[in-house]
Amino acid sequence: MPDGEPGEAYELGRTCALAAECGRDLRRCAQMYGTLFPRAAFDAELYNTLTLATAFSAPWAADRLKVVNRAALWVLAVDRLVDHTATTREQVNRLTRECLAVADGAVPRSAVTRFLADLRDELGTVKEFDGLQWLWRDQLGICICSATWRHTGET
């Protein structure tokens, strides 16, 4: 390795440090939304795996990984609510309606919609988001509908 070049070991270490920092952020984030993230389903291993995957997928995007990780965590929370908490089709429909309403600017009424509103507001601080908010809303609808279909067995 020539003098002055960080080398592969340095880069790998930097990426691991980034993943560790992101993992701490996700644990703090989960604490903010209380019962949305029960320890039995969301343990340290999950946070570490998620953040290692994103850090090694895009180590050059360190400044954007926080929101990416949080969005992935939100999706996992919705999946758990649909697959393991909801007991009726109406509960799933209500969750879908509330999430889409919050995506459109409504006031959140639960931990999962408060988390979504916080994500929406954080994305709103990025100037490019204004022109792409419609796409984010569209993809959010697809994500929620996908969870709903899995729950009901519909295709």
Side-chain angles (χ1 to χ4, degrees):
M1 172 173 64
D3 289 335
E5 290 187 24
E8 185 178 1
Y10 174 82
E11 290 302 320
L12 292 172
R14 188 169 98 34
T15 302
C16 287
L18 173 61
E21 180 183 330
C22 289
R24 286 188 294 275
D25 177 69
L26 282 188
R27 285 187 289 281
R28 282 189 303 268
C29 181
Q31 289 174 348
M32 291 179 359
Y33 302 102
T35 59
L36 186 58
F37 298 102
R39 289 185 192 262
F42 296 89
D43 60 6
E45 189 173 322
L46 178 123
Y47 300 122
N48 292 337
T49 301
L50 177 61
T51 58
L52 280 167
T54 58
F56 277 95
S57 295
W60 59 88
D63 60 329
R64 291 173 259 160
L65 288 182
K66 177 179 151 184
V67 73
V68 168
N69 287 323
R70 286 182 174 197
L73 187 62
W74 182 83
V75 169
L76 291 173
V78 169
D79 278 348
R80 187 188 66 81
L81 290 174
V82 169
D83 293 342
H84 301 289
T85 303
T87 57
T88 67
R89 172 72 181 178
E90 179 48 36
Q91 288 174 326
V92 174
N93 289 341
R94 184 174 40 250
L95 174 64
T96 300
R97 284 190 308 271
E98 289 175 5
C99 287
L100 294 177
V102 166
D104 291 333
V107 175
R109 300 188 318 194
S110 65
V112 71
T113 56
R114 190 166 40 91
F115 189 4
L116 179 60
D118 290 344
L119 282 169
R120 178 200 64 209
D121 294 347
E122 186 169 351
L123 287 168
T125 66
V126 177
K127 67 179 180 174
E128 294 85 2
F129 184 67
D130 190 43
L132 296 172
Q133 189 168 0
W134 67 271
L135 180 60
W136 173 78
R137 167 58 169 80
D138 185 56
Q139 293 299 306
L140 181 69
I142 291 169
C143 172
I144 294 170
C145 287
S146 174
T148 301
W149 292 330
R150 281 193 324 276
H151 179 72
T152 62
E154 296 175 7
T155 56

